Amino acid sequence: SNPVLSIKDLRVSYTTGLGTVNAVDGVSLDIGAGEIFGLAGESGCGKSTIANAVMRLLQAPAKITAGSIDLNQCNVLTLSDEELRRTRWRDMSMVFQSAMNAMNPVMTIGEQIMDVFTTHEKMPKKEARERAAHLLSLVDIKADRLKSYPHQLSGGMRQRVVIAIALALNPSLLIMDEPTTALDVVVQRDIMAQIKELQQSLGFSVLFITHDISLMVELSHRMAVMYAGRLVEVAPSNVLLDDPLHPYTTALMNAFPPLSGPRTELLGLPDAPPTSAGRPSGCSFHPRCPLAMDACRIQDPVLRPAAENHDAACLLVPEFVVPPERLAQ
Ligand code: SF4
Ligand code: MG
């Protein structure tokens, strides 16, 4: 079946007085129907830039210089403002890190949810109120909270409300950019487990962005690891957990141990990822890679098959060759 989201060779750059930064440098990925796809990497690697490009929320000086983004076979990059208004909420919606910023502090929770229904679906008020109560029940919040203001709810509850609003019009794609990073670990896991449940019952696809690779492994079906604007490894999440092939993936895994252990800085990785200073020669990761060889300073590895359904961009990983008997079929 066709992918819900298909990104092909996306390039986004920022030009400032300091020069041009290729924030997203040739990223391709597909997300299938009902799939939870995770995008992991340190801050500044370009994950949020991809999310904002899909939502058409990029702001100057960020600019898409090449590539395509299709949502349900429809080119997102050429939508008019009017078409974009209809597409957001109905076809795709996004949850950001700070629920407080996404909400209006002087409107009740009920008014904010009903607003989505009355503006986008011209729904009568009474029906909108019933739908709002139902939506809150999906995220385990009692209907009497419809009368509450955002500041009267806990951080976790506010984020649940924002998620409920994002799902109000049954979008086929939900984008979540560090949706629970501001919350404590137990609340984070609770909320993400709930999203997985909702995803199973409602069937939407998810693009889930986080720097917390262990949380992602638990919750996503398939995931990509991003470094300096490129995907460096893509695989089903359980495969990536058991058999990471890229040294950067391994470093991220070590920095974010599974379950609720303390989060540490990236263990053993000196310095920071490349920034406006420009991309290092050869493999962008070589200045920080514990396994770097001489060739890594010269040769730039491309993302290629390393096993079935498993791509990696590292000179140490041999290319997977499909057995000839299978090609003949
Ligand atoms: Fe490390 Fe070299 Fe692989 Fe890059 S290509 S990840 S520097 S071993
Ligand atoms: Mg970000």
Side-chain angles (χ1 to χ4, degrees):
S1 65
N2 288 314
V4 168
L5 180 71
S6 181
I7 299 177
K8 296 230 175 350
D9 195 32
L10 182 68
R11 289 164 198 273
V12 181
S13 60
Y14 298 78
T15 300
T16 65
L18 297 170
T20 297
V21 183
N22 297 318
V24 177
D25 195 14
V27 165
S28 300
L29 61 89
D30 282 347
I31 302 181
E35 183 171 47
I36 303 182
F37 187 91
L39 197 52
E42 289 162 277
S43 66
C45 71
K47 347 183 260 308
S48 299
T49 306
I50 292 180
N52 289 324
V54 172
M55 289 296 288
R56 288 266 307 269
L57 292 171
L58 284 179
Q59 283 175 357
K63 210 175 135 215
I64 295 176
T65 55
S68 63
I69 300 173
D70 290 310
L71 180 72
N72 299 321
Q73 277 88 250
C74 167
N75 186 344
V76 172
L77 300 182
T78 57
L79 294 178
S80 68
D81 288 352
E82 178 53 34
E83 289 166 330
L84 199 55
R85 236 192 319 276
R86 258 182 284 134
T87 295
R88 288 193 191 135
W89 300 98
R90 270 174 210 290
D91 300 320
M92 59 179 175
S93 56
M94 183 155 163
V95 173
F96 301 89
Q97 182 172 337
S98 168
M100 207 52 196
N101 296 346
M103 298 180 96
N104 186 333
V106 298
M107 276 168 80
T108 65
I109 303 303
E111 284 165 343
Q112 302 192 46
I113 303 179
M114 286 163 61
D115 205 42
V116 177
F117 291 125
T118 48
T119 333
H120 292 264
E121 302 212 321
K122 313 268 173 281
M123 191 183 284
K125 261 201 151 169
K126 183 171 178 292
E127 195 187 338
R129 187 170 297 118
E130 282 161 13
R131 286 275 294 273
H134 171 70
L135 212 51
L136 278 192
S137 74
L138 288 181
V139 290
D140 278 343
I141 296 179
K142 293 204 176 69
D144 58 10
R145 286 297 189 173
L146 288 170
K147 293 197 216 81
S148 302
Y149 288 90
H151 74 268
Q152 295 173 313
L153 306 183
S154 68
M157 238 187 219
R158 276 199 296 269
Q159 196 58 295
R160 281 177 213 272
V161 171
V162 170
I163 290 163
I165 293 175
L167 295 174
L169 300 184
N170 286 318
S172 44
L173 178 69
L174 176 66
I175 300 178
M176 297 193 293
D177 188 1
E178 306 271 6
T180 59
T181 304
L183 307 170
D184 80 65
V185 176
V186 177
V187 178
Q188 279 187 28
R189 268 156 217 273
D190 258 22
I191 292 184
M192 292 312 298
Q194 196 161 46
I195 287 178
K196 198 160 184 175
E197 259 178 60
L198 285 173
Q199 187 274 331
Q200 276 157 4
S201 57
L202 303 176
F204 52 88
S205 305
V206 179
L207 172 59
F208 174 40
I209 294 174
T210 181
H211 60 283
D212 186 337
I213 196 168
S214 294
L215 182 66
M216 177 167 291
V217 163
E218 287 171 44
L219 290 155
S220 59
H221 300 118
R222 206 157 55 90
M223 54 184 281
V225 176
M226 203 172 171
Y227 190 79
R230 294 183 185 167
L231 305 189
V232 296
E233 188 162 4
V234 185
S237 304
N238 57 337
V239 172
L240 216 121
L241 175 69
D242 295 340
D243 189 22
L245 294 176
H246 198 284
Y248 180 61
T249 307
T250 308
L252 270 188
M253 296 268 188
N254 291 338
F256 291 96
L259 303 172
S260 47
R263 298 311 198 229
T264 55
E265 290 305 306
L266 275 185
L267 288 176
L269 283 189
D271 308 323
T275 55
S276 48
R279 178 180 295 286
S281 65
C283 174
S284 299
F285 188 53
H286 88 252
R288 303 171 81 196
C289 181
L291 303 178
M293 315 165 285
D294 285 344
C296 303
R297 272 191 291 274
I298 302 156
Q299 244 177 291
D300 189 359
V302 293
L303 187 68
R304 59 184 190 178
E308 243 164 306
N309 301 317
H310 193 164
D311 295 348
C314 170
L315 298 179
L316 284 176
V317 179
E319 180 161 16
F320 172 70
V321 182
V322 180
E325 64 272 16
R326 286 245 311 282
L327 279 178
Q329 283 169 12

